Amino acid sequence: MATVRPGSTLPSPQAPSATVHPSVPPRRRPVDLPWAAPTLLMAVLAAWYLGRPALWADELASVNAAVLSWGGLRELLNETDLVLAPYYAFLHVWTAIAGTSEVAVRLPSAVAAVGTVGVTATIGARLWGNRAGVLAGLVLAVLPVFSRFAQEARGYSLAIFGFALATLLLLRWVERPGPARLAAYAVALGVAVLLLPFGAMILAAHAVLAWPAYARWTWLVSAGAAVLPGVALFTVAASTQRAQISWIPLLGWAGKNGVVERALTVAGPIAVTATLVILGLLGVRRERRVLAMACWGLLPIGLLLAAGMVAPIWVSRYVAFTLPGLALLAAYGLSRLSVRQATAVVALLAVFGAANNVIIRRPDGHTQAGRRIAEIIGPRLRLDDVAVYGDNHPSIPWSPRDIVARYLPAGQTPRDALMVSPQRTGGHLLAVECADVAGCVGAAPRIWVIRADDPSDPRDGLDGGKTPFLLATYTVGEVWRYPLLTVALLDRKVGGRGRETKARVLHISGERG
């Protein structure tokens, strides 16, 4: 029978049965290792086409920041992405060892995701038994959004692992307090908050778990000290680099930016999120461990959605750390069903998410079709071609130049007609461009316009005097439209004049291939 420490509702691990003969070791069933099956499943999913999708804008930002010198990285962080400094520093060291291939830069996220599933299953087993642990791990593993984090060169997967590990270490400390266990918890929590400062909201869940009389003040001091560096870094970044969130819209009650629609896509497809939340809500009980998981999986989402209605702050990935909490809450509800019923619901979740799990592993599955640039420009490039870039996208203005640098061989790249100094040099994120557009472009007979947005006329909406010059001097020949990538080939008007013809559109942006 499980024993409970005075003042705590968290059971200690069960003692071995005295009826088992010491010379005959008990045979372990799969359920005795609740982390085994979910971890294996997540390992398969994390490795499945890990390097196939092209790096999208944020991943390109990670890689190109990581390969800077320490001095160059410091200059960049003084202008932008200060809140990402811990991850960039880690990736700087990692890429020096493993390289910058798609698989190499995503591998830490994949490994962290596998670890998160195992830790989540272990937490579920400690709280409600092995069956709940297995269910929690399986639910988390089949979520498409979790697979996306597992295959992305950003810090979210590492942060989620840190928060899950901190929660497990907290449970261990509550069961048997000691300075080493408390220190391990504080380190895991502190690193996780450095990687994802919004995750400090998990303290509400940890407070519920650590609130028996013998633990409360010790935990409060340790947890407060652990999150302080990450919160301080976020505060400095928010006060000095506000332009980083200028693209985030305010939320309303309805429409594309409505709180309901945004809430229902936290875990991926609406059907997946709705099923997960319903299971979680059905499982909520006035029992401390269940309430703690509700504070982990549901409360931060509600708080950030509410904040997003008064300030531009809601981005679903900022609450990525809630996914294990949601999975655990759902697992508690599932564990109250029969084995057959629980298995059917997990299978239903997997079916709901199957299409998205396939889509995110396509070549353009990370929302940007970067690899297309080689097949578009490569066979059509002429020696006197030049490129003009659209760097005024509201959230990812750096990506067009990064895509060309990443996916076009050096000898097959059109001359960057306007670049005076490259991106991420001299403390500037974006390239410094020539102010005299006409003078720098010269008499180039053809221009490749490369941009991340998708206007009806690829010459429109460009900054720095580009649009008037292109409208007056060049006509649109061909246009290729892909997710977050528009490429247009412009031809110079004869004598500065020419008849506008309808551009030949080679691909429609809504399609995926």
Side-chain angles (χ1 to χ4, degrees), residues 140 143 146 149 160 163 196 198-199 201-202 266-267 276 293-302 304 314 316-329:
L140 183 59
L143 297 180
F146 190 67
F149 289 133
I160 298 169
F163 288 115
L196 184 54
F198 285 101
M201 289 188 283
I202 203 174
V266 167
L276 199 60
M293 296 305 104
C295 288
W296 183 0
L298 295 174
L299 180 62
I301 297 173
L304 201 61
W314 169 263
S316 60
R317 55 183 176 268
Y318 293 168
V319 290
F321 69 95
T322 63
L323 293 175
L326 281 170
L328 285 160
L329 201 57

Side-chain angles (χ1 to χ4, degrees), residues 29-76:
R29 298 173 299 166
V31 76
D32 293 332
L33 298 173
W35 51 267
T39 299
L40 179 60
L41 174 61
M42 191 64 234
V44 171
L45 290 172
W48 178 25
Y49 284 137
L50 178 60
R52 188 185 189 196
L55 298 179
W56 83 289
D58 280 4
E59 294 181 287
L60 290 167
S62 296
V63 175
N64 286 306
V67 298
L68 296 173
S69 66
W70 286 113
L73 181 57
R74 183 175 62 253
E75 288 182 342
L76 176 66

Side-chain angles (χ1 to χ4, degrees), residues 386 388 415 417-418 433-444 447 463-470 472-474 492:
V386 300
V388 169
R415 179 178 66 86
L418 301 180
E433 293 191 332
C434 172
D436 180 10
V437 177
C440 290
V441 170
I447 292 180
D463 60 343
K466 301 171 194 172
T467 289
F469 170 74
L470 294 178
T473 316
Y474 288 84
R492 193 175 186 92

Side-chain angles (χ1 to χ4, degrees), residues 253-476:
W253 288 108
K256 181 181 178 181
N257 293 319
V259 291
V260 175
E261 181 168 338
R262 292 304 179 99
L264 287 176
T265 56
V266 167
I270 290 177
V272 173
T273 304
T275 304
L276 199 60
V277 172
I278 289 170
L279 286 171
L281 291 174
L282 291 176
V284 171
R285 298 288 187 276
R286 293 184 62 183
E287 194 272 319
R288 191 155 62 86
R289 292 168 295 182
V290 178
L291 290 177
M293 296 305 104
C295 288
W296 183 0
L298 295 174
L299 180 62
I301 297 173
L303 290 176
L304 201 61
L305 283 170
M309 299 186 73
V310 296
I313 201 170
W314 169 263
V315 178
S316 60
R317 55 183 176 268
Y318 293 168
V319 290
F321 69 95
T322 63
L323 293 175
L326 281 170
L328 285 160
L329 201 57
Y332 175 73
L334 288 171
S335 68
R336 300 168 66 86
L337 305 177
S338 68
V339 172
R340 180 175 297 178
Q341 290 172 328
T343 302
V345 174
V346 174
L348 191 64
L349 272 174
V351 170
F352 285 158
N356 277 60
N357 264 318
V358 172
I359 288 172
I360 62 176
R361 291 169 172 86
R362 291 178 176 177
D364 59 357
H366 285 196
T367 69
Q368 195 164 33
R371 282 202 179 91
R372 298 284 189 179
I373 200 76
E375 65 188 57
I376 296 169
I377 295 180
R380 299 172 178 85
L381 184 66
R382 297 178 184 173
L383 289 176
D384 51 1
D385 285 353
V386 300
V388 169
Y389 293 88
D391 57 2
N392 56 335
H393 189 281
S395 61
I396 53 172
W398 62 86
S399 63
R401 279 189 168 92
D402 281 356
I403 287 173
V404 169
R406 175 84 187 186
Y407 292 112
L408 266 181
Q412 299 178 24
T413 304
R415 179 178 66 86
D416 192 333
L418 301 180
M419 186 178 70
V420 175
S421 63
Q423 297 190 141
R424 302 179 185 87
T425 58
H428 297 289
L429 170 62
L430 301 180
V432 176
E433 293 191 332
C434 172
D436 180 10
V437 177
C440 290
V441 170
R446 304 198 313 174
I447 292 180
W448 292 93
V449 175
I450 305 164
R451 54 196 301 171
D453 51 357
D454 186 25
S456 56
D457 188 327
R459 299 168 297 179
D460 285 340
L462 298 170
D463 60 343
K466 301 171 194 172
T467 289
F469 170 74
L470 294 178
L471 287 172
T473 316
Y474 288 84
T475 185
V476 180

